Amino acid sequence: MTATPDEHFFVVDGRRWRRTDPALPEDLAAALRSHLGRGRNAVKQAKRSGDEDALAAARHRNGLAKHGLGERGPEWWTRPEADRIADARATLAELDALDSDSPDASSRPLP
């Protein structure tokens, strides 16, 4: 893995990926990464079971987490830091709400 000179992206096997916003506090970024990881696992499980609704929900969680981390959506380096952090916190609240809306949310620990 190599970083691009501007450090906005990194390259793996010739493919360029946007980096996580470095301004995000570590606890916020870790919570967003936790949602992303759970979403990725849910995608695998939904694909195995053929559950299209669960697959759509898992992909939605992944998209939200990636937006919160700054890996999708507006380029984080063009926006004010305070706005980026506020948006990431709002995204985390939205992701946490997905868990509280879930019928088995009480069995899962929150980040």
Side-chain angles (χ1 to χ4, degrees), residues 36-51 54-63:
L36 180 59
R38 292 192 338 240
R40 286 177 174 164
N41 286 336
V43 165
K44 289 177 192 176
Q45 291 174 2
K47 282 183 174 181
R48 278 190 214 128
S49 70
D51 185 339
L55 182 60
R59 287 183 170 156
H60 176 69
R61 178 185 297 270
N62 288 350

Side-chain angles (χ1 to χ4, degrees), residues 2 7 13 16 23 43-44 46 54 61 67 69 76 81 83 92-94 102 106:
T2 55
E7 298 197 5
D13 295 330
R16 189 177 76 157
V43 165
K44 289 177 192 176
R61 178 185 297 270
H67 273 84
L69 289 164
W76 50 260
E81 184 175 312
D83 292 351
L92 180 58
E94 187 174 350
S102 168
S106 61

Side-chain angles (χ1 to χ4, degrees), residues 13-90:
D13 295 330
R15 187 163 178 189
R16 189 177 76 157
W17 300 88
R18 192 184 309 178
R19 295 178 73 99
T20 296
D21 184 347
L24 297 180
E26 182 51 35
D27 62 331
L28 177 57
L32 289 165
R33 285 191 302 268
S34 175
H35 278 286
L36 180 59
R38 292 192 338 240
R40 286 177 174 164
N41 286 336
V43 165
K44 289 177 192 176
Q45 291 174 2
K47 282 183 174 181
R48 278 190 214 128
S49 70
D51 185 339
E52 292 299 318
D53 291 336
L55 182 60
R59 287 183 170 156
H60 176 69
R61 178 185 297 270
N62 288 350
L64 285 173
K66 286 188 159 285
H67 273 84
L69 289 164
E71 296 174 9
R72 288 192 185 151
E75 297 169 333
W76 50 260
W77 55 91
T78 63
R79 301 180 60 228
E81 184 175 312
D83 292 351
R84 299 180 341 235
I85 293 171
D87 287 349
R89 289 190 194 286

